[in-house]
């Protein structure tokens, strides 16, 4: 298997769908917080404020990291080679997945997850969306290459 690099692009269409999902959810939860707070049920207000905070943080992370790739730890490129898979981050750091590589595809075929162990035996996970690839052929090609790379015989054992 030769070294192949896939550069990722911002997924603005997916960002719009995420905004349409998370913004109304957070607004609805915050309106319930106000209703319960002023209705005298403070414990439910705290519960819904926690839920609103959770959805806000999850949505912001998904949009800023995986869709727009603005955070320093956002992947901007994937290199697949004989020594493993390198994920290049926005901050210049390169993370290599060399063992126990697993690919998790969703049922709709719009995204996939990539998990594996780095050289320090730390489990790392990444999510990639179809809109992050320059075209459909690149999206399909990387999934095929990752399926081949995930077979245990492709990577040499790591010596400690």
């Amino acid at each position: 298997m030769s070294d192949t690099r896939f550069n990722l692009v911002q997924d603005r269409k997916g960002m719009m769908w995420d905004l349409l999902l998370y913004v109304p959810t957070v607004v609805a939860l915050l309106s319930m917080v106000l209703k319960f707070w002023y209705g005298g049920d403070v414990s439910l207000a705290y519960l819904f404020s926690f839920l609103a905070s959770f959805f806000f943080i999850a949505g912001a992370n998904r949009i800023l990291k995986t869709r727009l790739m603005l955070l320093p730890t956002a992947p901007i490129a994937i290199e697949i080679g004989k020594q493993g898979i390198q994920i290049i981050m926005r901050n210049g750091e390169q993370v290599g997945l060399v063992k126990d590589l697993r690919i998790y595809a969703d049922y709709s075929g719009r995204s996939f997850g990539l998990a594996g162990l780095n050289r320090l035996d730390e489990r790392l996970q990444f999510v990639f969306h179809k809109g992050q690839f320059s075209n459909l052929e690149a999206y399909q090609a990387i999934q095929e290459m990752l399926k081949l790379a995930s077979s245990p015989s492709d990577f040499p054992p790591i010596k400690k």
Side-chain angles (χ1 to χ4, degrees), residues 27-98:
V27 169
L29 288 169
L30 288 175
S31 68
M32 293 178 78
V33 167
L34 292 174
K35 177 186 172 208
F36 288 127
W37 184 266
Y38 290 110
D41 200 349
V42 177
S43 58
L44 274 178
Y46 283 128
L47 172 68
F48 279 96
S49 65
F50 168 75
L51 289 173
S53 301
F54 176 79
F55 276 94
F56 176 78
I57 292 169
N61 183 56
R62 182 174 168 110
I63 290 169
L64 294 175
K65 187 174 183 180
T66 65
R67 299 293 189 174
L68 295 180
M69 302 181 309
L70 295 176
L71 298 180
T73 58
I76 59 168
I78 305 168
E79 289 181 354
I80 302 173
K82 293 179 183 174
Q83 298 300 317
I85 296 173
Q86 295 283 347
I87 310 290
I88 294 94
M89 308 290 188
R90 176 159 296 285
N91 62 5
E93 182 182 343
Q94 291 190 8
V95 176
L97 301 176
V98 294

Side-chain angles (χ1 to χ4, degrees), residues 87-150:
I87 310 290
I88 294 94
M89 308 290 188
R90 176 159 296 285
N91 62 5
E93 182 182 343
Q94 291 190 8
V95 176
L97 301 176
V98 294
K99 295 195 306 191
D100 197 22
L101 186 66
R102 297 202 177 145
I103 296 108
Y104 302 97
D106 69 357
Y107 292 113
S108 66
R110 291 191 176 107
S111 64
F112 66 91
L114 180 63
L117 298 175
N118 66 4
R119 287 177 172 71
L120 302 174
D121 282 340
E122 297 171 331
R123 177 155 301 280
L124 301 172
Q125 302 175 53
F126 300 94
V127 175
F128 300 100
H129 304 283
K130 185 191 289 186
Q132 289 181 286
F133 294 90
S134 57
N135 53 36
L136 182 61
E137 291 78 25
Y139 182 72
Q140 292 170 340
I142 192 168
Q143 286 186 326
E144 291 301 318
M145 292 181 81
L146 289 173
K147 285 178 189 174
L148 293 174
S150 65

Side-chain angles (χ1 to χ4, degrees), residues 148-156:
L148 293 174
S150 65
S151 65
S153 63
D154 281 352
F155 299 125

